[in-house]
Amino acid sequence: MLDERKMTQYQLYMKSGVPKSTIGNIINCSYDSVKLRIIHEMCQGLGIGLDAFFDSPLFQEESLDP
């Protein structure tokens, strides 16, 4: 989504208030789970709603690991 919006992690940090280290860890899949509050804040920084975020093909049932 950052690439689609031509945004950097730093720009997302500035717009969302989510710490740069947290954004980096999420992008690098360093966490087993992420709080919905953090996802919501990142979505606000991206200028999208949670519905648009979770509408991504990445969240379709066949894309999820068993």
Side-chain angles (χ1 to χ4, degrees):
M1 292 186 167
L2 288 176
D3 290 341
E4 290 172 8
R5 287 161 181 74
K6 297 184 180 2
M7 286 178 71
T8 64
Q9 291 180 33
Y10 180 77
Q11 289 170 319
L12 180 57
Y13 152 69
M14 292 299 293
K15 290 185 176 199
S16 69
V18 175
K20 292 180 287 187
S21 60
T22 300
I23 293 169
N25 286 332
I26 291 169
I27 289 172
N28 294 321
C29 300
S30 298
Y31 295 141
D32 290 332
S33 64
V34 179
K35 290 183 179 183
L36 185 58
R37 177 184 57 81
I38 298 296
I39 295 171
H40 181 254
E41 290 171 1
M42 291 175 59
C43 286
Q44 288 179 318
L46 291 166
I48 62 171
L50 285 170
D51 56 339
F53 179 83
F54 286 110
D55 195 36
S56 166
L58 293 172
F59 295 104
Q60 292 179 357
E61 195 70 33
E62 59 273 3
S63 297
L64 300 175
D65 289 336

